[in-house]
Amino acid sequence: MKSALITGITGQDGSYLAELLLSKGYKVYGIRRRSSDNHYGTVAHLKDKIEFIYADMTDLPSLIKAVEIAQPDEVYNLAAQSFVQTSWEQPILTADIDALGVTNILEAIRMVKPDARYYQASTSEMFGKVQEMPQRETTPFYPRSPYAVAKVYGHWITINYRESYDLFACSGILFNHESPRRGLEFVTRKVTDGVARIKLGLMDEIRMGNLDSKRDWGFAGDYVYAMWLMLQQDAPDDYVIATGETRTVRELLETAFSYVDLDYKDHVVVDPKFFRPAEVKILLGDATKAKEKLGWKPKVSFEQMIHMMVDEDLKRVQAEIDGGLSK
Ligand code: NAP
Ligand code: G4F
């Protein structure tokens, strides 16, 4: 039985990856932070199937202990302060977790289990003010937020440990991926949750930021499969994972509202509060390398994914109403 250690297991990607690895017969260990509400986040339904270890990306001894306990064949480092907007409010915390945290987990692996295969959750945000269209593995980075700057460090320290210590370390440069398990602050989920609340009569408007920015949005379930594929290859490498399609936030609004026969123009208010100090105007990925070398391609279309998210939010909000939770 192979064993895997997942950091960030309580987040969106952590839950889909844990489900994938459990279905393949892995023993799954997950790192959890101590919190006052003792939450299991997106993996509450898998609580009895995962072995949880308390650790924090900013605390090297706890990561060493986690690697000692799990003795993992594979480590997936998904933990991050992942909300771009918050990275301007907490730039130092973001760097501690998203940049130095990567060195911490790599050090723990190097000291305790150097033959473990390592996946680093890198991001299309590193392309930022894009230098090339579409963006591929060789496109130069131009990060536009403290989050993206920290992730560039994480990407390069991963490559450096591969080259310095011969670790099997891969960096996946993943473009935006979404699902019904996405945090409510990210734009897709904010919109699908808002659509459900408006449709069910709980509110009338959503306040939004820049409607012109463009993203290459895929489905998280498809993207965690690419993470796993990267660690099954003969040699470690870095890959862009993307759909190759880009849409504006306005198109996202049209897709979500029209699905429930509403017009977004009647319900969306643009609010400067949601604009960012520096914006990534457009992202569009070229995943040709992943297609050719990993045999990976996305399965769920943008429309299918947004409809799935609206359906799930309608069910959840209706259950809140039925349970008397929403007034
Ligand atoms: P997410 O839902 O925000 O999950 C983040 C996870 O990190 C949570 O489990 C969180 O735990 C954990 N975490 C945060 N700070 C930590 C710390 N100091 N120590 C230990 N754990 C900590 O993120 P996601 O969407 O699943 O993304 C997974 C990874 O991929 C992240 O690294 C993200 O930056 C990267 N990424 C995401 C996308 C995307 O579109 N989703 C695209 C490219 C790259 P708590 O539950 O305790 O908060
Ligand atoms: O959904 P977002 O907050 O995602 P963003 O900033 O692209 O970052 C996500 O994807 C990255 C991969 O490229 C990950 F690395 C990162 O961890 C995260 O998962 O915003 C998407 C776009 C932005 O241009 C933003 O300005 O939507 C625009 N937007 C417009 N109105 C809004 C809003 N974003 C949010 N969150 N809320 C709004 O009201």
Side-chain angles (χ1 to χ4, degrees), residues 8-14 31 33 39 55-58 78-82 97 121-124 147 151 174-178 182 186:
I9 197 163
T10 55
Q12 171 187 257
D13 292 6
I31 280 176
R33 295 194 277 185
H39 74 272
D56 194 292
M57 297 309 295
T58 61
L78 309 184
Q81 188 305 94
S82 75
I97 301 170
S122 291
T123 166
S124 50
Y147 166 80
K151 282 286 185 175
L174 272 51
F175 283 61
N176 298 50
H177 45 280
E178 318 293 317
R182 188 60 142 149
F186 297 93

PDB file of all heavy atoms in Angstrom, residues 8-14 31 33 39 55-58 78-82 97 121-124 147 151 174-178 182 186, ligand 1:
ATOM      1  N   GLY A   8      -2.799  20.962   3.479  1.00  0.00           N
ATOM      2  CA  GLY A   8      -3.944  21.668   2.894  1.00  0.00           C
ATOM      3  C   GLY A   8      -5.090  20.732   2.577  1.00  0.00           C
ATOM      4  O   GLY A   8      -5.917  21.015   1.703  1.00  0.00           O
ATOM      5  N   ILE A   9      -5.177  19.626   3.307  1.00  0.00           N
ATOM      6  CA  ILE A   9      -6.199  18.612   2.995  1.00  0.00           C
ATOM      7  C   ILE A   9      -7.610  19.123   3.262  1.00  0.00           C
ATOM      8  O   ILE A   9      -8.578  18.640   2.670  1.00  0.00           O
ATOM      9  CB  ILE A   9      -5.898  17.302   3.770  1.00  0.00           C
ATOM     10  CG1 ILE A   9      -6.678  16.128   3.163  1.00  0.00           C
ATOM     11  CG2 ILE A   9      -6.214  17.454   5.271  1.00  0.00           C
ATOM     12  CD1 ILE A   9      -6.159  14.762   3.560  1.00  0.00           C
ATOM     13  N   THR A  10      -7.753  20.129   4.154  1.00  0.00           N
ATOM     14  CA  THR A  10      -9.086  20.643   4.485  1.00  0.00           C
ATOM     15  C   THR A  10      -9.590  21.667   3.470  1.00  0.00           C
ATOM     16  O   THR A  10     -10.680  22.217   3.630  1.00  0.00           O
ATOM     17  CB  THR A  10      -9.080  21.301   5.885  1.00  0.00           C
ATOM     18  OG1 THR A  10      -8.056  22.306   5.901  1.00  0.00           O
ATOM     19  CG2 THR A  10      -8.812  20.283   6.987  1.00  0.00           C
ATOM     20  N   GLY A  11      -8.809  21.942   2.416  1.00  0.00           N
ATOM     21  CA  GLY A  11      -9.211  22.914   1.392  1.00  0.00           C
ATOM     22  C   GLY A  11      -9.888  22.231   0.211  1.00  0.00           C
ATOM     23  O   GLY A  11     -10.123  21.017   0.212  1.00  0.00           O
ATOM     24  N   GLN A  12     -10.195  23.035  -0.809  1.00  0.00           N
ATOM     25  CA  GLN A  12     -10.888  22.503  -1.991  1.00  0.00           C
ATOM     26  C   GLN A  12     -10.131  21.332  -2.629  1.00  0.00           C
ATOM     27  O   GLN A  12     -10.646  20.216  -2.768  1.00  0.00           O
ATOM     28  CB  GLN A  12     -11.068  23.600  -3.046  1.00  0.00           C
ATOM     29  CG  GLN A  12     -11.585  23.041  -4.380  1.00  0.00           C
ATOM     30  CD  GLN A  12     -11.623  24.055  -5.505  1.00  0.00           C
ATOM     31  OE1 GLN A  12     -12.695  24.544  -5.836  1.00  0.00           O
ATOM     32  NE2 GLN A  12     -10.478  24.374  -6.103  1.00  0.00           N
ATOM     33  N   ASP A  13      -8.884  21.579  -3.032  1.00  0.00           N
ATOM     34  CA  ASP A  13      -8.131  20.557  -3.764  1.00  0.00           C
ATOM     35  C   ASP A  13      -7.813  19.358  -2.882  1.00  0.00           C
ATOM     36  O   ASP A  13      -7.800  18.213  -3.356  1.00  0.00           O
ATOM     37  CB  ASP A  13      -6.809  21.139  -4.304  1.00  0.00           C
ATOM     38  CG  ASP A  13      -7.033  22.160  -5.393  1.00  0.00           C
ATOM     39  OD1 ASP A  13      -8.203  22.505  -5.661  1.00  0.00           O
ATOM     40  OD2 ASP A  13      -6.039  22.632  -5.979  1.00  0.00           O
ATOM     41  N   GLY A  14      -7.544  19.628  -1.594  1.00  0.00           N
ATOM     42  CA  GLY A  14      -7.213  18.554  -0.664  1.00  0.00           C
ATOM     43  C   GLY A  14      -8.294  17.494  -0.637  1.00  0.00           C
ATOM     44  O   GLY A  14      -8.007  16.288  -0.611  1.00  0.00           O
ATOM     45  N   ILE A  31      -2.391  16.861   6.898  1.00  0.00           N
ATOM     46  CA  ILE A  31      -1.967  17.835   7.905  1.00  0.00           C
ATOM     47  C   ILE A  31      -3.110  18.798   8.181  1.00  0.00           C
ATOM     48  O   ILE A  31      -3.736  19.322   7.268  1.00  0.00           O
ATOM     49  CB  ILE A  31      -0.717  18.587   7.401  1.00  0.00           C
ATOM     50  CG1 ILE A  31       0.515  17.699   7.626  1.00  0.00           C
ATOM     51  CG2 ILE A  31      -0.567  19.932   8.088  1.00  0.00           C
ATOM     52  CD1 ILE A  31       1.783  18.287   7.098  1.00  0.00           C
ATOM     53  N   ARG A  33      -4.397  22.133  10.813  1.00  0.00           N
ATOM     54  CA  ARG A  33      -3.990  23.138  11.804  1.00  0.00           C
ATOM     55  C   ARG A  33      -4.916  23.046  12.993  1.00  0.00           C
ATOM     56  O   ARG A  33      -6.113  22.816  12.828  1.00  0.00           O
ATOM     57  CB  ARG A  33      -4.136  24.550  11.234  1.00  0.00           C
ATOM     58  CG  ARG A  33      -3.235  24.835  10.104  1.00  0.00           C
ATOM     59  CD  ARG A  33      -3.196  26.319   9.842  1.00  0.00           C
ATOM     60  NE  ARG A  33      -4.315  26.784   9.024  1.00  0.00           N
ATOM     61  CZ  ARG A  33      -4.427  28.020   8.592  1.00  0.00           C
ATOM     62  NH1 ARG A  33      -3.513  28.913   8.913  1.00  0.00           N
ATOM     63  NH2 ARG A  33      -5.452  28.389   7.842  1.00  0.00           N
ATOM     64  N   HIS A  39     -12.064  22.210  12.924  1.00  0.00           N
ATOM     65  CA  HIS A  39     -12.764  21.846  11.689  1.00  0.00           C
ATOM     66  C   HIS A  39     -11.993  20.849  10.803  1.00  0.00           C
ATOM     67  O   HIS A  39     -10.765  20.801  10.823  1.00  0.00           O
ATOM     68  CB  HIS A  39     -13.125  23.100  10.882  1.00  0.00           C
ATOM     69  CG  HIS A  39     -11.947  23.724  10.201  1.00  0.00           C
ATOM     70  ND1 HIS A  39     -11.152  24.658  10.806  1.00  0.00           N
ATOM     71  CD2 HIS A  39     -11.430  23.538   8.953  1.00  0.00           C
ATOM     72  CE1 HIS A  39     -10.201  25.027   9.967  1.00  0.00           C
ATOM     73  NE2 HIS A  39     -10.343  24.354   8.834  1.00  0.00           N
ATOM     74  N   ALA A  55      -0.110  19.942  12.316  1.00  0.00           N
ATOM     75  CA  ALA A  55       1.143  20.583  11.908  1.00  0.00           C
ATOM     76  C   ALA A  55       0.803  21.916  11.262  1.00  0.00           C
ATOM     77  O   ALA A  55      -0.372  22.213  10.990  1.00  0.00           O
ATOM     78  CB  ALA A  55       1.913  19.698  10.933  1.00  0.00           C
ATOM     79  N   ASP A  56       1.813  22.708  11.017  1.00  0.00           N
ATOM     80  CA  ASP A  56       1.606  24.017  10.384  1.00  0.00           C
ATOM     81  C   ASP A  56       2.789  24.267   9.448  1.00  0.00           C
ATOM     82  O   ASP A  56       3.936  23.941   9.800  1.00  0.00           O
ATOM     83  CB  ASP A  56       1.524  25.103  11.467  1.00  0.00           C
ATOM     84  CG  ASP A  56       0.986  26.410  10.914  1.00  0.00           C
ATOM     85  OD1 ASP A  56       1.692  27.056  10.095  1.00  0.00           O
ATOM     86  OD2 ASP A  56      -0.132  26.794  11.285  1.00  0.00           O
ATOM     87  N   MET A  57       2.512  24.872   8.315  1.00  0.00           N
ATOM     88  CA  MET A  57       3.573  25.115   7.329  1.00  0.00           C
ATOM     89  C   MET A  57       4.661  26.046   7.857  1.00  0.00           C
ATOM     90  O   MET A  57       5.773  26.064   7.338  1.00  0.00           O
ATOM     91  CB  MET A  57       2.994  25.719   6.041  1.00  0.00           C
ATOM     92  CG  MET A  57       2.026  24.827   5.299  1.00  0.00           C
ATOM     93  SD  MET A  57       2.645  23.180   4.997  1.00  0.00           S
ATOM     94  CE  MET A  57       4.004  23.520   3.896  1.00  0.00           C
ATOM     95  N   THR A  58       4.353  26.824   8.885  1.00  0.00           N
ATOM     96  CA  THR A  58       5.333  27.768   9.425  1.00  0.00           C
ATOM     97  C   THR A  58       6.146  27.151  10.566  1.00  0.00           C
ATOM     98  O   THR A  58       6.946  27.851  11.195  1.00  0.00           O
ATOM     99  CB  THR A  58       4.624  29.045   9.929  1.00  0.00           C
ATOM    100  OG1 THR A  58       3.707  28.671  10.967  1.00  0.00           O
ATOM    101  CG2 THR A  58       3.857  29.731   8.815  1.00  0.00           C
ATOM    102  N   LEU A  78      -0.303  21.283  -0.712  1.00  0.00           N
ATOM    103  CA  LEU A  78      -1.409  22.138  -1.177  1.00  0.00           C
ATOM    104  C   LEU A  78      -1.699  23.282  -0.207  1.00  0.00           C
ATOM    105  O   LEU A  78      -2.499  24.160  -0.514  1.00  0.00           O
ATOM    106  CB  LEU A  78      -2.687  21.299  -1.342  1.00  0.00           C
ATOM    107  CG  LEU A  78      -2.566  20.011  -2.161  1.00  0.00           C
ATOM    108  CD1 LEU A  78      -3.931  19.351  -2.303  1.00  0.00           C
ATOM    109  CD2 LEU A  78      -1.978  20.286  -3.534  1.00  0.00           C
ATOM    110  N   ALA A  79      -1.089  23.272   0.968  1.00  0.00           N
ATOM    111  CA  ALA A  79      -1.408  24.288   1.974  1.00  0.00           C
ATOM    112  C   ALA A  79      -0.959  25.664   1.505  1.00  0.00           C
ATOM    113  O   ALA A  79       0.142  25.829   0.981  1.00  0.00           O
ATOM    114  CB  ALA A  79      -0.720  23.956   3.296  1.00  0.00           C
ATOM    115  N   ALA A  80      -1.832  26.644   1.701  1.00  0.00           N
ATOM    116  CA  ALA A  80      -1.455  28.025   1.377  1.00  0.00           C
ATOM    117  C   ALA A  80      -2.471  28.999   1.947  1.00  0.00           C
ATOM    118  O   ALA A  80      -3.620  28.638   2.182  1.00  0.00           O
ATOM    119  CB  ALA A  80      -1.391  28.222  -0.141  1.00  0.00           C
ATOM    120  N   GLN A  81      -2.024  30.242   2.149  1.00  0.00           N
ATOM    121  CA  GLN A  81      -2.960  31.365   2.244  1.00  0.00           C
ATOM    122  C   GLN A  81      -3.240  31.651   0.781  1.00  0.00           C
ATOM    123  O   GLN A  81      -2.423  32.256   0.091  1.00  0.00           O
ATOM    124  CB  GLN A  81      -2.292  32.539   2.968  1.00  0.00           C
ATOM    125  CG  GLN A  81      -3.209  33.709   3.316  1.00  0.00           C
ATOM    126  CD  GLN A  81      -3.960  34.294   2.136  1.00  0.00           C
ATOM    127  OE1 GLN A  81      -5.121  33.903   1.854  1.00  0.00           O
ATOM    128  NE2 GLN A  81      -3.348  35.196   1.434  1.00  0.00           N
ATOM    129  N   SER A  82      -4.394  31.203   0.284  1.00  0.00           N
ATOM    130  CA  SER A  82      -4.585  31.123  -1.171  1.00  0.00           C
ATOM    131  C   SER A  82      -5.448  32.233  -1.757  1.00  0.00           C
ATOM    132  O   SER A  82      -5.662  32.259  -2.966  1.00  0.00           O
ATOM    133  CB  SER A  82      -5.189  29.768  -1.534  1.00  0.00           C
ATOM    134  OG  SER A  82      -6.561  29.744  -1.193  1.00  0.00           O
ATOM    135  N   ILE A  97       3.816  31.338   4.917  1.00  0.00           N
ATOM    136  CA  ILE A  97       3.164  30.060   4.582  1.00  0.00           C
ATOM    137  C   ILE A  97       3.509  29.620   3.155  1.00  0.00           C
ATOM    138  O   ILE A  97       3.908  28.484   2.920  1.00  0.00           O
ATOM    139  CB  ILE A  97       1.626  30.179   4.726  1.00  0.00           C
ATOM    140  CG1 ILE A  97       1.244  30.574   6.160  1.00  0.00           C
ATOM    141  CG2 ILE A  97       0.944  28.868   4.320  1.00  0.00           C
ATOM    142  CD1 ILE A  97      -0.226  30.949   6.343  1.00  0.00           C
ATOM    143  N   ALA A 121       2.172  23.007  -5.221  1.00  0.00           N
ATOM    144  CA  ALA A 121       1.004  23.667  -5.829  1.00  0.00           C
ATOM    145  C   ALA A 121       1.369  25.078  -6.284  1.00  0.00           C
ATOM    146  O   ALA A 121       1.150  26.062  -5.586  1.00  0.00           O
ATOM    147  CB  ALA A 121      -0.141  23.713  -4.823  1.00  0.00           C
ATOM    148  N   SER A 122       1.929  25.166  -7.470  1.00  0.00           N
ATOM    149  CA  SER A 122       2.236  26.480  -8.055  1.00  0.00           C
ATOM    150  C   SER A 122       1.024  26.971  -8.842  1.00  0.00           C
ATOM    151  O   SER A 122       0.040  26.254  -9.008  1.00  0.00           O
ATOM    152  CB  SER A 122       3.484  26.396  -8.934  1.00  0.00           C
ATOM    153  OG  SER A 122       4.612  26.171  -8.113  1.00  0.00           O
ATOM    154  N   THR A 123       1.115  28.199  -9.326  1.00  0.00           N
ATOM    155  CA  THR A 123      -0.097  28.866  -9.809  1.00  0.00           C
ATOM    156  C   THR A 123       0.133  29.746 -11.031  1.00  0.00           C
ATOM    157  O   THR A 123       1.203  30.345 -11.189  1.00  0.00           O
ATOM    158  CB  THR A 123      -0.682  29.747  -8.680  1.00  0.00           C
ATOM    159  OG1 THR A 123      -1.658  30.631  -9.240  1.00  0.00           O
ATOM    160  CG2 THR A 123       0.379  30.597  -8.004  1.00  0.00           C
ATOM    161  N   SER A 124      -0.900  29.867 -11.842  1.00  0.00           N
ATOM    162  CA  SER A 124      -0.868  30.767 -12.996  1.00  0.00           C
ATOM    163  C   SER A 124      -0.738  32.231 -12.578  1.00  0.00           C
ATOM    164  O   SER A 124      -0.374  33.072 -13.396  1.00  0.00           O
ATOM    165  CB  SER A 124      -2.142  30.583 -13.823  1.00  0.00           C
ATOM    166  OG  SER A 124      -3.288  30.646 -13.002  1.00  0.00           O
ATOM    167  N   TYR A 147       0.843  37.382  -2.825  1.00  0.00           N
ATOM    168  CA  TYR A 147       0.596  35.943  -2.967  1.00  0.00           C
ATOM    169  C   TYR A 147       1.433  35.376  -4.121  1.00  0.00           C
ATOM    170  O   TYR A 147       2.135  34.369  -3.962  1.00  0.00           O
ATOM    171  CB  TYR A 147      -0.903  35.701  -3.226  1.00  0.00           C
ATOM    172  CG  TYR A 147      -1.246  34.312  -3.728  1.00  0.00           C
ATOM    173  CD1 TYR A 147      -1.336  33.234  -2.849  1.00  0.00           C
ATOM    174  CD2 TYR A 147      -1.497  34.075  -5.087  1.00  0.00           C
ATOM    175  CE1 TYR A 147      -1.660  31.954  -3.310  1.00  0.00           C
ATOM    176  CE2 TYR A 147      -1.821  32.802  -5.552  1.00  0.00           C
ATOM    177  CZ  TYR A 147      -1.903  31.751  -4.659  1.00  0.00           C
ATOM    178  OH  TYR A 147      -2.219  30.491  -5.119  1.00  0.00           O
ATOM    179  N   LYS A 151       4.510  32.667  -4.215  1.00  0.00           N
ATOM    180  CA  LYS A 151       4.406  31.411  -4.978  1.00  0.00           C
ATOM    181  C   LYS A 151       5.573  31.248  -5.973  1.00  0.00           C
ATOM    182  O   LYS A 151       5.981  30.128  -6.272  1.00  0.00           O
ATOM    183  CB  LYS A 151       3.063  31.367  -5.713  1.00  0.00           C
ATOM    184  CG  LYS A 151       1.878  31.003  -4.799  1.00  0.00           C
ATOM    185  CD  LYS A 151       1.892  29.515  -4.444  1.00  0.00           C
ATOM    186  CE  LYS A 151       0.689  29.094  -3.653  1.00  0.00           C
ATOM    187  NZ  LYS A 151       0.622  27.648  -3.396  1.00  0.00           N
ATOM    188  N   LEU A 174      -0.884  25.438 -11.984  1.00  0.00           N
ATOM    189  CA  LEU A 174      -2.291  25.231 -12.262  1.00  0.00           C
ATOM    190  C   LEU A 174      -3.021  26.563 -12.436  1.00  0.00           C
ATOM    191  O   LEU A 174      -2.844  27.485 -11.629  1.00  0.00           O
ATOM    192  CB  LEU A 174      -2.944  24.415 -11.133  1.00  0.00           C
ATOM    193  CG  LEU A 174      -2.870  22.884 -11.309  1.00  0.00           C
ATOM    194  CD1 LEU A 174      -1.467  22.381 -11.593  1.00  0.00           C
ATOM    195  CD2 LEU A 174      -3.491  22.160 -10.130  1.00  0.00           C
ATOM    196  N   PHE A 175      -3.827  26.626 -13.488  1.00  0.00           N
ATOM    197  CA  PHE A 175      -4.701  27.779 -13.688  1.00  0.00           C
ATOM    198  C   PHE A 175      -5.933  27.595 -12.794  1.00  0.00           C
ATOM    199  O   PHE A 175      -6.120  26.532 -12.197  1.00  0.00           O
ATOM    200  CB  PHE A 175      -5.039  27.916 -15.186  1.00  0.00           C
ATOM    201  CG  PHE A 175      -3.889  28.512 -15.982  1.00  0.00           C
ATOM    202  CD1 PHE A 175      -2.658  27.872 -16.046  1.00  0.00           C
ATOM    203  CD2 PHE A 175      -4.031  29.738 -16.618  1.00  0.00           C
ATOM    204  CE1 PHE A 175      -1.585  28.440 -16.744  1.00  0.00           C
ATOM    205  CE2 PHE A 175      -2.971  30.311 -17.311  1.00  0.00           C
ATOM    206  CZ  PHE A 175      -1.756  29.659 -17.371  1.00  0.00           C
ATOM    207  N   ASN A 176      -6.753  28.656 -12.707  1.00  0.00           N
ATOM    208  CA  ASN A 176      -7.880  28.646 -11.760  1.00  0.00           C
ATOM    209  C   ASN A 176      -8.734  27.395 -11.931  1.00  0.00           C
ATOM    210  O   ASN A 176      -9.121  27.053 -13.042  1.00  0.00           O
ATOM    211  CB  ASN A 176      -8.783  29.860 -11.984  1.00  0.00           C
ATOM    212  CG  ASN A 176      -8.057  31.169 -11.758  1.00  0.00           C
ATOM    213  OD1 ASN A 176      -6.981  31.383 -12.300  1.00  0.00           O
ATOM    214  ND2 ASN A 176      -8.633  32.044 -10.968  1.00  0.00           N
ATOM    215  N   HIS A 177      -9.030  26.751 -10.811  1.00  0.00           N
ATOM    216  CA  HIS A 177      -9.946  25.600 -10.869  1.00  0.00           C
ATOM    217  C   HIS A 177     -10.926  25.678  -9.709  1.00  0.00           C
ATOM    218  O   HIS A 177     -10.567  26.063  -8.599  1.00  0.00           O
ATOM    219  CB  HIS A 177      -9.177  24.277 -10.908  1.00  0.00           C
ATOM    220  CG  HIS A 177      -8.058  24.187  -9.942  1.00  0.00           C
ATOM    221  ND1 HIS A 177      -6.814  24.756 -10.154  1.00  0.00           N
ATOM    222  CD2 HIS A 177      -7.988  23.604  -8.721  1.00  0.00           C
ATOM    223  CE1 HIS A 177      -6.033  24.519  -9.123  1.00  0.00           C
ATOM    224  NE2 HIS A 177      -6.729  23.824  -8.221  1.00  0.00           N
ATOM    225  N   GLU A 178     -12.139  25.300  -9.984  1.00  0.00           N
ATOM    226  CA  GLU A 178     -13.277  25.635  -9.144  1.00  0.00           C
ATOM    227  C   GLU A 178     -14.135  24.393  -8.934  1.00  0.00           C
ATOM    228  O   GLU A 178     -13.957  23.375  -9.593  1.00  0.00           O
ATOM    229  CB  GLU A 178     -14.127  26.714  -9.866  1.00  0.00           C
ATOM    230  CG  GLU A 178     -13.313  27.809 -10.543  1.00  0.00           C
ATOM    231  CD  GLU A 178     -12.559  28.711  -9.579  1.00  0.00           C
ATOM    232  OE1 GLU A 178     -13.163  29.094  -8.563  1.00  0.00           O
ATOM    233  OE2 GLU A 178     -11.376  29.027  -9.821  1.00  0.00           O
ATOM    234  N   ARG A 182     -15.328  25.114  -3.504  1.00  0.00           N
ATOM    235  CA  ARG A 182     -14.520  26.328  -3.532  1.00  0.00           C
ATOM    236  C   ARG A 182     -14.931  27.245  -2.374  1.00  0.00           C
ATOM    237  O   ARG A 182     -16.122  27.341  -2.037  1.00  0.00           O
ATOM    238  CB  ARG A 182     -14.783  27.020  -4.871  1.00  0.00           C
ATOM    239  CG  ARG A 182     -13.918  28.213  -5.200  1.00  0.00           C
ATOM    240  CD  ARG A 182     -12.479  27.888  -5.261  1.00  0.00           C
ATOM    241  NE  ARG A 182     -11.767  28.594  -6.316  1.00  0.00           N
ATOM    242  CZ  ARG A 182     -10.491  28.940  -6.233  1.00  0.00           C
ATOM    243  NH1 ARG A 182      -9.781  28.651  -5.148  1.00  0.00           N
ATOM    244  NH2 ARG A 182      -9.900  29.534  -7.248  1.00  0.00           N
ATOM    245  N   PHE A 186     -13.993  33.332  -3.293  1.00  0.00           N
ATOM    246  CA  PHE A 186     -13.471  33.324  -4.668  1.00  0.00           C
ATOM    247  C   PHE A 186     -14.615  33.640  -5.639  1.00  0.00           C
ATOM    248  O   PHE A 186     -15.776  33.314  -5.372  1.00  0.00           O
ATOM    249  CB  PHE A 186     -12.829  31.975  -4.992  1.00  0.00           C
ATOM    250  CG  PHE A 186     -11.641  31.681  -4.119  1.00  0.00           C
ATOM    251  CD1 PHE A 186     -11.789  30.971  -2.946  1.00  0.00           C
ATOM    252  CD2 PHE A 186     -10.380  32.156  -4.446  1.00  0.00           C
ATOM    253  CE1 PHE A 186     -10.708  30.723  -2.108  1.00  0.00           C
ATOM    254  CE2 PHE A 186      -9.282  31.913  -3.621  1.00  0.00           C
ATOM    255  CZ  PHE A 186      -9.449  31.201  -2.454  1.00  0.00           C
TER     256      PHE A 186
HETATM  257  P1  NAP B   1      -7.811  26.412  -0.195  1.00  0.00           P
HETATM  258  O1  NAP B   1      -9.167  25.823  -0.419  1.00  0.00           O
HETATM  259  O2  NAP B   1      -7.693  27.843   0.226  1.00  0.00           O
HETATM  260  O3  NAP B   1      -7.071  25.482   0.897  1.00  0.00           O
HETATM  261  C1  NAP B   1      -5.906  25.907   1.534  1.00  0.00           C
HETATM  262  C2  NAP B   1      -5.508  24.864   2.562  1.00  0.00           C
HETATM  263  O4  NAP B   1      -4.276  25.276   3.167  1.00  0.00           O
HETATM  264  C3  NAP B   1      -6.509  24.668   3.716  1.00  0.00           C
HETATM  265  O5  NAP B   1      -6.565  23.304   4.027  1.00  0.00           O
HETATM  266  C4  NAP B   1      -5.856  25.436   4.858  1.00  0.00           C
HETATM  267  O6  NAP B   1      -6.195  24.940   6.139  1.00  0.00           O
HETATM  268  C5  NAP B   1      -4.383  25.119   4.571  1.00  0.00           C
HETATM  269  N1  NAP B   1      -3.463  26.028   5.242  1.00  0.00           N
HETATM  270  C6  NAP B   1      -3.420  27.391   5.160  1.00  0.00           C
HETATM  271  N2  NAP B   1      -2.429  27.881   5.912  1.00  0.00           N
HETATM  272  C7  NAP B   1      -1.813  26.811   6.491  1.00  0.00           C
HETATM  273  C8  NAP B   1      -0.730  26.667   7.399  1.00  0.00           C
HETATM  274  N3  NAP B   1      -0.057  27.720   7.867  1.00  0.00           N
HETATM  275  N4  NAP B   1      -0.366  25.422   7.766  1.00  0.00           N
HETATM  276  C9  NAP B   1      -1.045  24.326   7.332  1.00  0.00           C
HETATM  277  N5  NAP B   1      -2.097  24.407   6.496  1.00  0.00           N
HETATM  278  C10 NAP B   1      -2.474  25.630   6.076  1.00  0.00           C
HETATM  279  O7  NAP B   1      -6.910  26.244  -1.506  1.00  0.00           O
HETATM  280  P2  NAP B   1      -7.165  25.332  -2.811  1.00  0.00           P
HETATM  281  O8  NAP B   1      -8.018  26.087  -3.763  1.00  0.00           O
HETATM  282  O9  NAP B   1      -7.534  23.965  -2.393  1.00  0.00           O
HETATM  283  O10 NAP B   1      -5.694  25.343  -3.448  1.00  0.00           O
HETATM  284  C11 NAP B   1      -4.731  24.362  -3.060  1.00  0.00           C
HETATM  285  C12 NAP B   1      -3.341  24.885  -3.394  1.00  0.00           C
HETATM  286  O11 NAP B   1      -3.241  25.132  -4.802  1.00  0.00           O
HETATM  287  C13 NAP B   1      -2.965  26.199  -2.716  1.00  0.00           C
HETATM  288  O12 NAP B   1      -1.578  26.142  -2.453  1.00  0.00           O
HETATM  289  C14 NAP B   1      -3.237  27.253  -3.777  1.00  0.00           C
HETATM  290  O13 NAP B   1      -2.435  28.389  -3.564  1.00  0.00           O
HETATM  291  C15 NAP B   1      -2.854  26.487  -5.021  1.00  0.00           C
HETATM  292  N6  NAP B   1      -3.545  26.866  -6.263  1.00  0.00           N
HETATM  293  C16 NAP B   1      -4.905  26.927  -6.298  1.00  0.00           C
HETATM  294  C17 NAP B   1      -5.541  27.217  -7.486  1.00  0.00           C
HETATM  295  C18 NAP B   1      -7.049  27.278  -7.580  1.00  0.00           C
HETATM  296  O14 NAP B   1      -7.550  27.832  -8.564  1.00  0.00           O
HETATM  297  N7  NAP B   1      -7.766  26.674  -6.642  1.00  0.00           N
HETATM  298  C19 NAP B   1      -4.775  27.450  -8.653  1.00  0.00           C
HETATM  299  C20 NAP B   1      -3.389  27.360  -8.574  1.00  0.00           C
HETATM  300  C21 NAP B   1      -2.772  27.049  -7.381  1.00  0.00           C
HETATM  301  P3  NAP B   1      -7.397  25.574   7.030  1.00  0.00           P
HETATM  302  O15 NAP B   1      -8.623  24.770   6.683  1.00  0.00           O
HETATM  303  O16 NAP B   1      -6.925  25.348   8.413  1.00  0.00           O
HETATM  304  O17 NAP B   1      -7.523  27.020   6.661  1.00  0.00           O
END
